[in-house]
Amino acid sequence: MTQLYCNVALPVPLRTTFTYAVPETLCPQVQPGIRVLVPFRKKSLVGVVLEMTKTVPEGTKIREIQQVLDRVPALTPKLLELGRWIASYYLAPIGEVFRAMLPPATEISLKRRIVLTDSGQALAEKWKDGTTLTDLTEAEAEFLQRMLEKKGELALGAGSKRGMIPGALERLERRGFLEIRETVEGRKRKMQYVFAWKGKAAAGGKPGEKEERIRVLLETERGPLPMPQLLKLAQVSRALIERMLRDGLLENWEEPIDPVEDPFETGYTPPAHTLNETQESAFKAIRARFELGEFGVQLLYGVTGSGKTEVYLRSIQDTLARGKTAIVLVPEIALTLWIGRQCRAWFGARFEGVAVLHSALSDVERAQEWWRVRNGAARVVVGTRSAIFAPVENLGLVIVDEEQESSYKQEETPRYHGRDVAIVRAKLENALALLGSATPSMESYHHAANGKYELLTMGLRVENRNLAAVEIVDLREDFQQTQKTSPISQTLHAGIAECLSFRTQALVLINRRGYSWSVLCRSCGASVQCVNCSISMTHHKSRNRLECHYCGSIQAVPKACPKCESKFVYFFGEGSEHLEERLRKEFPGARIARLDRDTARTKQQYQETLGAFASGALDILVGTQMLAKGHDFQRVTLVGVISADASLSLPDFRAAERTFQLLTQVAGRAGRGELPGRVLIQTYYPEHYAVEDAVRQDYLAFYERELHFRRMMMYPPFTSLANVIVRNANLENAIRWSRRLSEYFAPHDGKGIRILGPASAPLARLKKEHRYQFLLKSPKKSVLTKILSGALAFCDTNEIPQTAVLVDMDPLTLL
Ligand code: ADP
Ligand code: ZN
Ligand code: ZN
């Protein structure tokens, strides 16, 4: 028999796959899409088989697959194709792409142990006998001694390194006294068989009454069930189930038992609305598209409160009725609950099949949800960005809610955009992509205006509710009157007071978390910077420390200037923590809470605060952007925005777009119930068009003005951009490599592409690394891709490490 090989994608930052031999015993199982455990250097890694092959790359020693992890391939052929597309389009290491697509490998755990070698043991015994070991430190010798007492073996963990200087373990290993060994252990997890209706009756004989009961239960009422529940609910014998299994009426598979907490509160019934005219015509257009049964993209542009969710739900219902599946992407974890809950209420009872996928789930929870989808038990998936990789089959519809949101862009490798991947996936699977937004991204609206996407517009709020009245508070005037710089202007103060007296609710938005976002010295003007990044440290008063919001490093709050030792340090720029404190001072009786990444660290905290606000247990909710999105609070009559300018001043061509979106989204949170809403936007630049158009809530006017700017400046949607960063902890390396790379770029500049740089990146230092930047602009994506892949090949032949070069295709920010 000829030896079989396969190419495996491994989670390492390299742009290649790796070839492994398939041992004969594993031959029947190994196929594309299956996860395998393979030896890699001195470790074992979980990877996914991309293809089978009979040839091997020359001159490499081929090792064997250790273990196959799946019964059915984790990834479907379509997902394999999607992964390859992502790797080539975003120029991302293929293994890291597939790492992002795979479920957590909860079925195994890798244990590492330190083992004393023979020479290590000899040495330790010598030391015990009193011989002085000149070439070992006391601590190292003691460690060998400890190993000897432990019969030569120790689990590798924090505890085993106690008392050791860093690197000592590695040194002992290098000199052959110790070995680090790895073992793979299956995780002991309780498994159970789950039964589902398969419906292929053996020849002859109509299904009996009991079979019919089981069919109804498994197919329509409840979905797949484990044996004990099935026996109880259907009132049948185990023997019958086993017979039906043999006859092909049922199928079963193994699932872990670990109880997964149901994220949805029970007893929730969603409001049942009949669609209004606007919704109806949007839904008709979506349905007409389904009838075609082919790939298409629709942009549902519906003002805030126009009832997009309702249209989504009907479209999903329609998709399911056609025997297909749906994925709904939302920009925030909190929104998975809000939309997931409605999906569950609509489809749960009939299909028992709504899965929720997001990063706040534990590995076990995520794996379980993931396999529920893979096994076909869940046919609707609601989730954040990576849920676009949900392994549904027979995909009919992908919804991307709030498609303009920057959270769809992953800002680490692989740097993909969830919305764009959603469109590609829909194309691969002949499905419909439905992008929804009240403030579509420039790119999407441009495509719709050009006829590349179909535009569906919902211009009215449900029940003809008015959009909230938006007013500008000019902070320059406020300052002239009060001579105080307070984050809360007189107008905003009066507005909140009014809310309190009417017992309605107020939302107050601020763009930064923390207490003050800068610490400055009055004597020398220095600001306290992060030791790893070129960025100011943010003061967190409640935790009494400074934090870097980019790398997470912390420092003590300085009593004197770190540069000139002056005592006159002052804290500058209010953050959410500061704002909350002020509101408490100004409105002593009010019930106030804050929602930002510091107060909502877990989904429970998130839900608790949102729940308390929704139920009326709070009067004022202070928070960052996370408040602006999607939530539907009925009793909010006032929304205050502390500073519209903060996002305008960033060195970023999307600054205006982002500001407009944020202000419009925020304004949309007011006046959603029966009560009319009011929005107060505080700003120093009331004449900026992003602010002006947001006040009028005139998306189209903004779109036209911004489009003009983009055309003049040659920015998307008129060109494609790529940002290339060369980075290294060593400044000289970063400079040398970026200069060398510019030798490759220079001759291409001006030939259908503009190449700017190398320049110091706006964030010149990040997480200890120095960063130099090239910006590539071309009206033709194909030109961009060609030059970028050329650049990466150039790096390989010029000893510029792959890990030092970061490519960001279609970047959202240029920091
Ligand atoms: P959007 O996402 O477009 O901002 P939502 O989908 O959140 O708007 O809907 C806004 C509110 O209108 C929700 O409270 C929803 O229950 C309600 N709603 C939706 N459709 C209708 C309808 N046809 N009639 C009455 N109320 C509706
Ligand atoms: Zn100073
Ligand atoms: Zn930092």
Side-chain angles (χ1 to χ4, degrees), residues 24 32 50 111 116 166 221 237 275 296 438 514 544 674 682 715 732 786:
E24 208 169 315
L50 296 191
K111 289 243 161 54
L116 201 59
E221 281 179 10
S237 69
L275 296 185
N544 190 26
E674 313 276 304
Q682 305 190 145
Y715 275 126
E732 272 167 38
K786 207 177 110 221

Side-chain angles (χ1 to χ4, degrees), residues 529-537 547-553 765-768:
Q529 300 261 313
C530 171
V531 291
N532 305 325
C533 316
S534 43
I535 204 85
S536 323
M537 297 291 280
E547 293 180 10
C548 171
H549 285 181
Y550 285 83
C551 74
S553 76
R765 199 158 163 261
L766 181 65
K767 299 182 184 173
K768 294 194 167 136

Side-chain angles (χ1 to χ4, degrees), residues 271 273-276 279 302-310 338 462-463 465 630 632 634 669 672:
H273 300 294
T274 38
L275 296 185
N276 63 31
Q279 289 169 316
V303 298
T304 54
S306 57
K308 291 187 285 296
T309 316
E310 208 77 11
W338 158 244
V462 294
E463 320 217 287
R465 275 171 208 149
D632 191 28
Q634 301 274 319
R669 294 313 111 211
R672 292 175 73 89

Side-chain angles (χ1 to χ4, degrees), residues 10-310:
L10 292 177
V12 292
L14 300 172
R15 290 184 171 80
T16 58
T17 55
F18 298 86
T19 305
Y20 286 88
V22 184
E24 208 169 315
T25 48
L26 296 180
C27 266
Q29 289 157 275
V30 175
Q31 53 178 304
I34 211 134
R35 288 178 307 156
V36 289
L37 188 75
V38 295
F40 184 78
R41 301 204 176 125
K42 282 181 161 187
K43 287 194 278 184
S44 300
L45 292 177
V46 175
V48 60
V49 174
L50 296 191
E51 71 228 331
M52 309 305 296
T53 174
K54 292 206 169 96
T55 54
V56 292
E58 265 173 55
T60 44
K61 190 171 149 264
I62 301 294
R63 299 164 82 182
E64 278 194 346
I65 287 177
Q66 288 170 327
Q67 204 176 321
V68 171
L69 299 184
D70 300 321
R71 235 172 28 93
V72 286
L75 298 184
T76 60
K78 294 279 184 215
L79 284 175
L80 290 176
E81 206 178 332
L82 188 68
R84 287 177 191 280
W85 179 85
I86 292 174
S88 77
Y89 181 86
Y90 291 101
L91 297 117
I94 191 152
E96 303 220 67
V97 172
F98 281 103
R99 181 208 325 242
M101 297 178 77
L102 288 171
T106 52
E107 41 286 278
I108 50 160
S109 63
L110 296 173
K111 289 243 161 54
R112 304 175 112 199
R113 294 168 305 141
I114 318 170
V115 180
L116 201 59
T117 59
D118 289 344
S119 64
Q121 184 168 348
L123 209 65
E125 271 161 6
K126 257 208 260 168
W127 190 73
K128 202 170 123 199
D129 295 339
T131 321
T132 332
L133 303 174
T134 45
D135 51 351
L136 289 189
T137 67
E138 188 93 339
E140 285 169 352
E142 244 166 57
F143 185 77
L144 290 184
Q145 165 72 14
R146 188 142 56 97
M147 293 285 307
L148 198 62
E149 280 161 16
K150 300 272 185 215
K151 300 199 170 66
E153 264 199 45
L154 215 57
L156 182 60
S160 59
K161 290 192 189 167
R162 204 176 307 129
M164 294 278 281
I165 44 169
L169 207 61
E170 290 73 15
R171 209 159 40 242
L172 288 172
E173 190 194 0
R174 247 196 331 269
R175 292 157 79 186
F177 301 136
L178 294 177
E179 261 175 35
I180 296 181
R181 288 195 198 143
E182 196 177 56
T183 48
V184 180
E185 288 173 18
R187 204 168 274 171
K188 283 183 213 78
R189 296 177 62 198
K190 280 197 183 153
M191 303 293 277
Q192 64 184 357
Y193 275 100
V194 177
F195 295 78
W197 184 258
K198 196 168 173 200
K200 286 204 197 81
K206 267 189 11 201
E209 188 202 332
K210 285 180 183 164
E211 279 96 340
E212 181 58 16
R213 201 153 70 220
I214 291 173
R215 186 192 66 77
V216 171
L217 201 60
L218 294 180
E219 202 174 39
T220 52
E221 281 179 10
R222 299 295 297 265
L225 290 171
M227 182 72 104
Q229 263 152 291
L230 181 56
L231 296 181
K232 192 163 147 239
L233 288 168
Q235 296 287 322
V236 294
S237 69
R238 185 177 283 266
L240 175 70
I241 303 288
E242 272 156 12
R243 203 202 69 219
M244 288 172 71
L245 201 60
R246 278 196 305 276
D247 291 351
L249 284 168
L250 296 181
E251 60 181 334
N252 68 354
W253 62 81
E254 259 190 315
E255 259 182 26
I257 299 186
D258 329 37
V260 165
E261 168 202 355
D262 187 346
F264 309 108
E265 51 207 277
T266 46
Y268 167 80
T269 36
H273 300 294
T274 38
L275 296 185
N276 63 31
E277 233 173 89
T278 330
Q279 289 169 316
E280 192 65 50
S281 67
F283 178 53
K284 274 210 185 109
I286 294 167
R287 201 181 230 172
R289 205 69 204 216
F290 279 144
E291 297 291 337
L292 294 180
E294 58 186 44
F295 164 66
V297 185
Q298 292 180 316
L299 175 63
L300 178 61
Y301 160 51
V303 298
T304 54
S306 57
K308 291 187 285 296
T309 316
E310 208 77 11

